[in-house]
């Protein structure tokens, strides 16, 4: 037999032997694998809740019957020394596992170990790192706790604290006495009127509670208005710099036909409430003339009975410094929120911490600029609902030719926007003024299933900076819904159901824990 035939013959024998061995092996079925220890839990997540609680979740390990959990304080996944807290015998049914009452402003490492029937095979540890928020034992400051120059802060009697620090620091830090600790309250004086302060209750370097409040009006510095006053004449005769404090009640702007009309404001003034807990209602529209600026705080502006105008109308050409709306409620107008249909430049329009609803937008858009320029439009920490269903939400026509070199910045942040621009021909951001830039962040947008053109279909609309938004029951906002007209999309936006408490009644409290944790929309709802 030559060498070639010999090698071929030997190779054939080897293949036959391997084939036979493979067939023999298949006759012995493998039914289990005996690992030396259980698998460590995977997908371990720590989520801080209620400031000083932690919610732990993980994917259960195969074969595990229980789990051990250990927490190490002031630790960053080193797990050195003795655990501050230990929990044994946790089962799959206990997940998510919540640990309460941790120390505030503290870094923790948590680790989890799988245990089975054979405890000698306990898994390796899986670890996660988190940091608790500052404690919150300070009670909400009410109007009864305030004067124009003082505040009384309250917390559970007997809870230890060392000092109270206020920002702005126009008064020194208040040292908490033993008597104040026993009573659970302290009064701080020497504050400025109508000033927003943030108070921190401290225990050494740790914050035990934080509250923000605004001192009341010192009427010595404001003009008081009561319901029986001729407030229209007073406001129309105002001088630049005047501040008007409205007592509780309804103030109706009567027109010549006995209906509800407009206030013509021609000076830069402020309107605010004497008692934030009992807010005045101004029933009527406001017209701004001759470059007048306006600031509204804690006012309800109601358009019931008006003749179809917007809530705010810029009437004259020229330059307006600002329109500032803070902590107000604007409701029941027919045409829209504001209207800028003259060759005028407005430095700033800011709407913050406000409720806006039942604005039909018949014959106008919600935030509507046709012939003017707005340097900065800020819509923040606010809720808009039951409004603008068949019109554009922000409309800003291209009047840039009348304002050479002008730019415009639009910011929409931490807003809950429900049911607006829900029409095949409408958009959220119909911005055509050249040189615009847009930021759209931390918003909860919902119930726009018929929005045909998404954010915008116009070439002049700058693609916004998007971040941390959710879109529920909407169309053409995160992707093309088939209309093919939207210019851009927020492709990173989520589409989760916020599970509102009662949207029909204006309660947009978020029931979806994941969205609440991400702090989306108007802060009042999470």
């Amino acid at each position: 037999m030559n060498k070639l035939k010999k090698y071929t013959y030997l190779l054939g024998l080897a293949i036959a032997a391997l084939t036979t061995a493979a067939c023999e092996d298949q006759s012995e079925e493998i039914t289990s694998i005996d690992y030396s220890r259980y698998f460590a839990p995977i997908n371990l997540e720590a989520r801080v809740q209620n400031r000083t609680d932690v919610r732990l979740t993980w994917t259960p390990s195969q074969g595990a019957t229980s789990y051990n959990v250990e927490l190490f304080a002031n630790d960053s996944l080193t797990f050195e020394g003795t655990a501050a807290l230990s929990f044994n015998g946790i089962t799959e049914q206990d997940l998510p596992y919540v640990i309460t009452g941790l120390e505030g402003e503290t870094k923790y490492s948590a680790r989890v170990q799988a245990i089975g029937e054979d405890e000698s095979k306990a898994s390796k540890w899986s670890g996660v790192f988190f940091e608790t928020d500052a404690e919150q034992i300070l009670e909400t400051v009410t109007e009864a706790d305030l004067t124009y120059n003082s505040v009384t802060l309250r917390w559970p009697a007997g809870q230890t604290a060392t000092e109270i620090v206020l920002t702005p620091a126009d008064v020194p830090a208040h040292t908490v006495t033993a008597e104040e600790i026993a009573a659970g309250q302290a009064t701080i004086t020497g504050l400025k009127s109508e000033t927003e302060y943030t108070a921190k209750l401290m225990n050494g370097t740790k914050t035990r509670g934080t509250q923000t409040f605004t001192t009341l009006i010192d009427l010595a510095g404001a003009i008081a208005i009561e319901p029986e006053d001729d407030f229209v004449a007073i406001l129309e005769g105002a001088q630049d710099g005047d501040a008007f404090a409205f007592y509780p009640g309804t103030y109706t702007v009567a027109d010549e036909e006995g209906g509800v009309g407009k206030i013509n404001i021609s000076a830069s003034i402020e309107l605010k409430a004497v008692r934030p807990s009992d807010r005045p209602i101004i029933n009527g529209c406001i017209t701004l003339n001759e470059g007048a600026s306006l600031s509204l705080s804690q006012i309800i502006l109601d358009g019931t009975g008006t003749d179809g105008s917007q809530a705010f109308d810029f009437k004259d050409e020229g330059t307006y410094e600002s329109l500032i709306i803070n902590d107000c409620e604007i409701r029941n107008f027919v045409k829209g929120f504001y209207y800028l249909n003259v060759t005028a430049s407005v430095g700033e329009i800011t709407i913050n911490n406000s409720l806006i609803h039942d604005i039909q937008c018949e014959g106008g858009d919600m935030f509507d600029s046709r012939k003017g320029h707005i340097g900065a439009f800020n819509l923040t920490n606010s809720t808009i609902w039951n409004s603008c269903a068949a019109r554009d939400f922000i409309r800003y026509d291209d009047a840039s030719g009348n304002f050479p070199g002008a730019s415009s910045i639009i910011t929409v942040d931490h807003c809950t926007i429900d049911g607006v621009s829900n029409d095949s021909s409408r958009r959220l951001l119909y911005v055509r003024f050249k040189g615009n830039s847009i930021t759209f962040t931390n918003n909860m947008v919902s119930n726009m299933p018929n929005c045909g053109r998404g954010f915008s279909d116009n070439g002049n609309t700058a693609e916004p900076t998007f971040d941390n938004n959710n879109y529920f029951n909407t169309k053409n906002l995160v992707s093309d819904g088939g209309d093919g007209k939207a210019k851009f999309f927020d492709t990173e936006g989520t589409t989760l159901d916020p599970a509102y408490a009662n949207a029909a009644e204006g309660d947009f409290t978020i029931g979806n824990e994941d969205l609440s944790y991400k702090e989306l929309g108007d802060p009042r709802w999470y």
Side-chain angles (χ1 to χ4, degrees):
M1 183 181 294
N2 62 38
K3 289 184 179 180
L4 179 58
K5 290 182 178 179
K6 180 178 179 180
Y7 290 150
T8 303
Y9 173 73
L10 292 175
L11 179 59
L13 288 177
I15 293 172
L18 288 172
T19 303
T20 301
C23 292
E24 290 175 353
D25 287 343
Q26 288 178 351
S27 66
E28 298 179 7
E29 182 181 357
I30 298 174
T31 59
S32 65
I33 301 176
D34 187 14
Y35 294 103
S36 61
R37 63 197 309 174
Y38 299 107
F39 289 116
I42 61 172
N43 299 323
L44 176 60
E45 180 189 42
R47 182 175 290 184
V48 174
Q49 298 178 323
N50 301 321
R51 296 180 174 269
T52 58
D53 302 340
V54 65
R55 174 184 181 269
L56 297 175
T57 57
W58 60 85
T59 301
S61 301
Q62 184 177 359
T65 58
S66 67
Y67 300 87
N68 296 332
V69 174
E70 293 184 345
L71 262 64
F72 291 74
N74 301 306
D75 184 88
S76 299
L77 296 176
T78 59
F79 302 106
E80 296 178 349
T82 303
L85 294 168
S86 298
F87 306 90
N88 301 322
I90 299 167
T91 67
E92 183 176 340
Q93 288 68 41
D94 295 324
L95 298 180
Y97 191 70
V98 179
I99 302 170
T100 61
L102 301 179
E103 189 174 351
E105 297 180 302
T106 300
K107 296 178 181 179
Y108 283 92
S109 294
R111 63 182 186 179
V112 180
Q113 180 185 52
I115 303 295
E117 293 181 0
D118 186 350
E119 295 189 4
S120 67
K121 294 183 178 181
S123 76
K124 293 182 179 180
W125 294 92
S126 293
V128 68
F129 166 83
F130 65 93
E131 184 173 1
T132 53
D133 298 327
E135 284 187 88
Q136 179 56 295
I137 66 170
L138 275 178
E139 297 177 8
T140 301
V141 178
T142 68
E143 190 173 315
D145 300 319
L146 293 166
T147 70
Y148 73 91
N149 67 351
S150 70
V151 62
T152 297
L153 299 168
R154 306 176 194 277
W155 63 93
Q159 291 287 324
T160 302
T162 56
E163 64 178 354
I164 298 170
V165 178
L166 268 66
T167 305
D170 47 29
V171 293
H174 174 87
T175 300
V176 179
T177 66
E179 291 76 16
E180 290 169 336
I181 291 172
Q185 69 177 58
T187 298
I188 301 172
T189 60
L191 307 182
K192 295 179 181 178
S193 65
E194 299 178 80
T195 301
E196 183 178 89
Y197 288 92
T198 296
K200 288 189 176 184
L201 181 68
M202 306 296 296
N203 186 28
T205 60
K206 294 294 180 71
T207 304
R208 300 217 64 193
T210 304
Q211 287 292 343
T212 297
F213 59 89
T214 301
T215 49
L216 301 182
I217 293 173
D218 179 3
L219 290 179
I223 300 168
I225 296 182
E226 300 189 56
E228 59 271 21
D229 293 336
D230 186 354
F231 75 100
V232 173
I234 293 172
L235 296 183
E236 291 186 347
Q239 301 297 311
D240 284 343
D242 284 347
F244 299 91
F246 285 73
Y247 278 91
T250 298
Y251 299 78
T252 299
V253 184
D255 63 17
E256 294 180 355
E257 288 76 33
V260 180
K262 305 175 182 179
I263 307 172
N264 290 292
I265 293 178
S266 302
S268 296
I269 60 174
E270 297 179 58
L271 309 183
K272 45 200 171 185
V274 171
R275 300 193 184 105
S277 62
D278 192 358
R279 302 186 176 195
I281 300 170
I282 298 177
N283 180 204
C285 303
I286 294 178
T287 297
L288 298 173
N289 308 279
E290 301 175 16
S293 291
L294 178 65
S295 173
L296 260 66
S297 177
Q298 299 173 334
I299 299 285
I300 298 172
L301 187 62
D302 192 335
T304 300
T306 54
D307 63 358
S309 296
Q310 289 84 355
F312 303 94
D313 188 1
F314 294 87
K315 247 350 192 181
D316 294 332
E317 296 184 355
T319 301
Y320 296 78
E321 182 178 341
S322 60
L323 170 63
I324 308 295
I325 312 296
N326 185 59
D327 194 14
C328 291
E329 182 178 354
I330 314 296
R331 67 193 190 194
N332 301 325
F333 286 90
V334 176
K335 274 195 175 180
F337 190 96
Y338 66 69
Y339 194 49
L340 179 55
N341 196 33
V342 292
T343 306
S345 181
V346 183
E348 171 191 358
I349 298 178
T350 290
I351 304 160
N352 180 60
N353 187 29
S354 294
L355 299 173
I356 303 168
H357 61 96
D358 295 285
I359 298 182
Q360 299 173 41
C361 295
E362 290 186 4
D365 298 287
M366 188 70 170
F367 304 106
D368 196 345
S369 176
R370 305 290 179 98
K371 297 179 180 179
H373 164 252
I374 303 168
F377 175 63
N378 305 304
L379 179 61
T380 56
N381 306 306
S382 297
T383 302
I384 302 96
W385 79 98
N386 199 29
S387 299
C388 186
R391 298 290 300 207
D392 294 314
F393 186 60
I394 297 176
R395 176 171 176 169
Y396 194 171
D397 288 351
D398 184 18
S400 57
N402 293 322
F403 305 93
S407 61
S408 187
I409 300 172
I410 297 171
T411 301
V412 183
D413 179 68
H414 278 107
C415 288
T416 297
I417 303 170
D418 185 72
V420 307
S421 303
N422 190 28
D423 182 271
S424 62
S425 64
R426 297 304 170 183
R427 327 144 183 89
L428 271 180
L429 306 173
Y430 190 36
V431 180
R432 296 185 287 173
F433 194 101
K434 293 183 179 68
N436 64 84
S437 63
I438 306 171
T439 299
F440 196 88
T441 51
N442 306 302
N443 298 304
M444 182 78 73
V445 183
S446 53
N447 298 316
M448 296 171 55
N450 301 312
C451 180
R453 306 190 181 197
F455 284 100
S456 181
D457 60 347
N458 190 268
N460 282 351
T461 308
E463 183 166 352
T465 297
F466 290 117
D467 185 48
N468 198 37
N469 300 299
N470 187 76
Y471 307 89
F472 172 67
N473 189 29
T474 65
K475 184 181 178 183
N476 292 322
L477 297 180
V478 296
S479 62
D480 192 336
D483 299 78
K485 295 180 179 179
K487 179 186 174 187
F488 46 74
F489 310 96
D490 182 0
T491 57
E492 300 299 318
T494 56
T495 57
L496 302 176
D497 183 352
Y500 294 137
N502 191 344
E505 298 298 323
D507 184 353
F508 293 90
T509 301
I510 298 173
N512 183 310
E513 183 180 329
D514 289 333
L515 293 178
S516 182
Y517 181 74
K518 291 174 68 177
E519 298 185 344
L520 289 173
D522 187 335
R524 79 189 75 222
W525 305 122
Y526 54 76

